[in-house]
């Protein structure tokens, strides 16, 4: 087990589902390397707002459906 | 697999209740992580290469989800707001249109009623203020300039009775049978006071139209006709005018094609067979009473013929909007 793992798990409990959600969301193949790289760049350069704007422009109304997080059963 | 950023949840670090949740989260996480490698290898590989530090991955995951949440709100709320704004704008526009149509309809009804009143008054001209009002209303309604006085020229009447005229010969040798319609009206034995209707000796479509829609006006009784007819005659020749029959809500654009009628016939204007019939000048309600004014049309753009004022109103959308009200 990687020691870094415990740092993630020991975050306040309400934060953990967000990490879970993140992995659940990434099951959608539309979040490919290019998109992830762009989002990372936007976060670094313009913060959350810029990343959100990028996501909105990239996916538009599909984002609502995409962020309708897949149930765990579906992810399995 | 995400080797450097892989995670489990140590249940020993929390209480019993917390341990259950943590175990569940841990299970979900492990399952999702495994699924990611299969379902979205691109993202899996990117994460694996990008984050060798668990903290960085966690931070990115949180920021990513915050951005997704914000973007989702934008996606959900923005179109709704835009739609609401559009609906509000459309509603306001409709209300404005309704208000405009009410005003326009009211004004239109008012001007129509006024015109019926005008034509039943004594023949002559309206008081200056009313004349200006009428000119403006007709100009707005018809979409071209309508004036009682043009370039300093004014007939003796703008309100009067229009009598029916015969066809006019358009060119030497023209006969009644060569005219298209209303042959029962006959044809005048002499050519019109302003000459043949031909253009450079040719009977053109335009000259045919001019004879079809010609007016006779009393230029011969103009106070300065005898002294200034050399200037006046060419000015009046085929001058475009419009007659309004307010009782039937019809207008007709034509040209001055003849002089008359004579004073003793107790009529102030004459109209071609087409004008009299198509503009219903002598309908029971109209009884020949019309308004006749100049068309200010320096570029000769206004076509000759009858104009249905009700159609004009409909085209302006007034009637439809009135119904919507």
């Amino acid at each position: 087990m990687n020691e870094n793992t415990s740092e993630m798990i020991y975050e306040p409990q309400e934060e953990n589902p967000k990490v879970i959600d993140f992995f659940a969301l990434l099951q959608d193949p539309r979040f490919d390397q290019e998109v992830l790289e762009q989002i990372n760049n936007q976060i670094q350069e313009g913060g959350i707002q810029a990343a959100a704007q990028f996501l909105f422009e990239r996916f538009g109304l599909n984002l609502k459906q995409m962020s309708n997080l897949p149930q765990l059963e579906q992810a399995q | 697999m995400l080797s450097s950023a892989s995670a489990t949840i140590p249940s020993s670090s929390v209480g019993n209740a917390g341990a259950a949740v943590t175990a569940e989260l841990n299970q979900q996480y492990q399952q999702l992580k495994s699924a990611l490698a299969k379902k979205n290898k691109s993202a899996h590989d990117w994460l694996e290469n990008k984050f060798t530090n668990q903290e960085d991955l966690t931070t990115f995951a949180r920021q990513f989800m915050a951005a997704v949440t914000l973007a989702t709100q934008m996606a959900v709320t923005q179109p709704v707001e835009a739609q609401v704004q559009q609906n509000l704008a459309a509603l306001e526009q409709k209300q404005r249109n309704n208000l405009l149509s009410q005003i326009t309809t009211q004004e239109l009804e008012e001007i129509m009623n006024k015109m019926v009143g005008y034509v039943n008054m004594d023949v002559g001209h309206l008081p200056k203020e009313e004349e200006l009002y009428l000119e403006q209303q007709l100009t707005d309604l018809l979409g071209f300039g309508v004036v009682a006085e043009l370039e300093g020229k004014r007939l003796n009447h703008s309100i009067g009775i229009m009598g029916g005229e015969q066809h006019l010969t358009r060119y030497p040798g023209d006969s009644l049978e060569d005219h298209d319609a209303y042959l029962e009206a006959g044809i005048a034995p002499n050519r019109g006071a302003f000459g043949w209707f031909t253009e450079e000796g040719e009977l053109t479509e335009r000259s045919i139209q001019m004879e079809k829609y010609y007016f006779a006006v009393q230029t011969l009784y103009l106070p300065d006709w005898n002294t200034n007819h050399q200037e006046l005659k060419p000015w009046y020749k085929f001058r475009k005018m419009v007659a309004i029959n307010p009782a039937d809500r019809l207008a007709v654009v034509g040209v001055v094609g003849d002089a008359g009628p004579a004073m003793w016939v107790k009529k102030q204007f004459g109209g071609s067979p087409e004008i009299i019939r198509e503009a219903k000048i002598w309908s029971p309600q109209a009884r020949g009473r019309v308004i006749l004014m100049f068309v200010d049309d320096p570029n000769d753009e206004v076509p000759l013929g009858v104009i249905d004022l009700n159609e004009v109103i409909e085209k302006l959308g007034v009637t439809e909007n009135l119904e919507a009200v």
Side-chain angles (χ1 to χ4, degrees):
Chain A
M1 184 190 301
N2 191 310
E3 284 299 313
N4 290 327
T5 304
S6 59
E7 289 181 25
M8 177 177 136
I9 300 309
Y10 288 128
E11 289 293 330
Q13 205 170 69
E14 63 270 24
E15 291 293 315
N16 284 334
K18 292 204 173 184
V19 179
I20 301 288
D21 286 347
F22 170 69
F23 276 91
L25 189 60
L26 289 194
Q27 309 290 320
D28 189 321
R30 283 174 285 190
F31 290 110
D32 58 12
Q33 285 198 19
E34 185 236 328
V35 170
L36 291 173
E37 190 65 43
Q38 289 262 21
I39 292 170
N40 189 44
N41 290 341
Q42 293 291 338
I43 290 171
Q44 300 305 318
E45 293 167 13
I48 303 292
Q49 184 80 35
Q53 187 65 34
F54 165 79
L55 280 163
F56 177 67
E57 288 171 4
R58 178 69 178 244
F59 298 111
L61 291 172
N62 290 327
L63 202 60
K64 184 171 179 281
Q65 177 247 325
M66 290 165 74
S67 62
N68 226 350
L69 297 176
Q71 298 299 309
L72 191 59
E73 290 75 17
Q74 292 170 323
Q76 284 176 331
Chain B
M1 293 291 286
L2 290 168
S3 56
S4 59
S6 59
T8 55
I9 301 175
S11 58
S12 60
S13 61
V14 290
N16 287 340
V21 173
T22 303
E24 188 183 339
L25 288 172
N26 190 31
Q27 188 186 8
Q28 287 180 3
Y29 175 74
Q30 295 299 340
Q31 289 170 339
L32 284 167
K33 203 172 58 172
S34 299
L36 186 64
K38 295 173 189 170
K39 291 192 170 184
N40 191 359
K41 192 168 185 306
S42 175
H44 176 272
D45 292 349
W46 184 83
L47 288 173
E48 192 171 50
N49 294 327
K50 195 74 180 178
F51 301 107
T52 53
N53 182 300
Q54 181 64 52
E55 190 177 346
D56 290 345
L57 173 62
T58 308
T59 302
F60 176 73
R62 284 196 215 121
Q63 291 172 328
F64 182 96
M65 290 310 296
V68 166
T69 302
L70 189 57
T72 305
Q73 286 171 351
M74 289 165 70
V76 171
T77 60
Q78 193 155 314
V80 172
E81 283 173 7
Q83 195 176 359
V84 168
Q85 288 297 328
Q86 275 183 336
N87 288 343
L88 279 175
L91 187 62
E92 286 170 5
Q93 185 62 44
K94 189 180 176 185
Q95 286 171 338
R96 278 198 294 270
N97 285 344
N98 287 344
L99 185 61
L100 180 66
S101 71
Q102 280 180 310
I103 293 167
T104 309
T105 306
Q106 286 166 1
E107 284 188 352
L108 183 75
E109 290 300 326
E110 191 179 341
I111 188 62
M112 285 295 174
N113 291 336
K114 277 192 174 182
M115 284 197 291
V116 171
Y118 292 153
V119 297
N120 284 293
M121 288 163 55
D122 289 342
V123 299
H125 292 296
L126 290 172
K128 193 65 189 171
E129 216 168 273
E130 287 188 59
E131 184 176 272
L132 288 170
Y133 172 76
L134 181 60
E135 287 175 343
Q136 188 59 55
Q137 293 296 324
L138 288 173
T139 298
D140 289 346
L141 181 64
L142 296 172
F144 52 78
V146 178
V147 288
E149 183 172 317
L150 183 64
E151 299 174 14
K153 312 288 193 301
R154 174 188 283 271
L155 289 171
N156 290 344
H157 308 88
S158 51
I159 308 287
I161 299 173
M162 181 173 283
E165 302 287 338
Q166 295 177 303
H167 285 289
L168 289 175
T169 48
R170 298 162 294 186
Y171 55 90
D174 190 17
S175 66
L176 180 63
E177 291 71 30
D178 290 332
H179 290 248
D180 290 337
Y182 314 119
L183 303 186
E184 71 280 6
I187 190 165
N190 302 312
R191 69 176 188 178
F194 297 95
W196 305 120
F197 283 89
T198 50
E199 294 181 303
E200 297 178 352
E202 297 291 326
L203 184 69
T204 63
E205 192 57 43
R206 185 167 175 269
S207 57
I208 290 171
Q209 284 295 106
M210 284 163 63
E211 190 277 333
K212 278 185 178 177
Y213 298 101
Y214 83 84
F215 297 112
V217 296
Q218 295 178 316
T219 48
L220 66 163
Y221 299 125
L222 289 172
D224 55 345
W225 182 257
N226 289 335
T227 56
N228 198 25
H229 75 277
Q230 284 186 327
E231 182 203 331
L232 293 176
K233 189 173 178 181
W235 192 89
Y236 276 100
K237 181 179 182 177
F238 304 142
R239 175 66 54 179
K240 205 173 281 184
M241 301 193 78
V242 60
I244 314 293
N245 166 8
D248 293 280
R249 299 199 172 188
L250 292 168
V252 55
V253 178
V255 297
V256 173
D258 201 2
M263 196 83 83
W264 63 83
V265 300
K266 305 291 184 187
K267 295 185 179 72
Q268 292 68 45
F269 319 117
S272 65
E274 279 81 355
I275 283 178
I276 296 298
R277 286 156 180 79
E278 293 174 15
K280 299 181 181 176
I281 301 296
W282 276 91
S283 71
Q285 58 272 25
R287 294 173 289 110
R289 294 176 178 275
V290 297
I291 296 163
L292 185 67
M293 288 188 172
F294 294 111
V295 176
D296 189 5
D297 184 28
N299 298 320
D300 194 19
E301 293 170 337
V302 180
L304 306 185
V306 175
I307 301 167
D308 185 330
L309 297 180
N310 285 327
E311 277 184 17
V312 172
I313 296 160
E314 279 179 26
K315 278 181 186 170
L316 290 172
V318 174
T319 302
E320 284 179 6
N321 286 334
L322 179 65
E323 288 168 358
V325 173

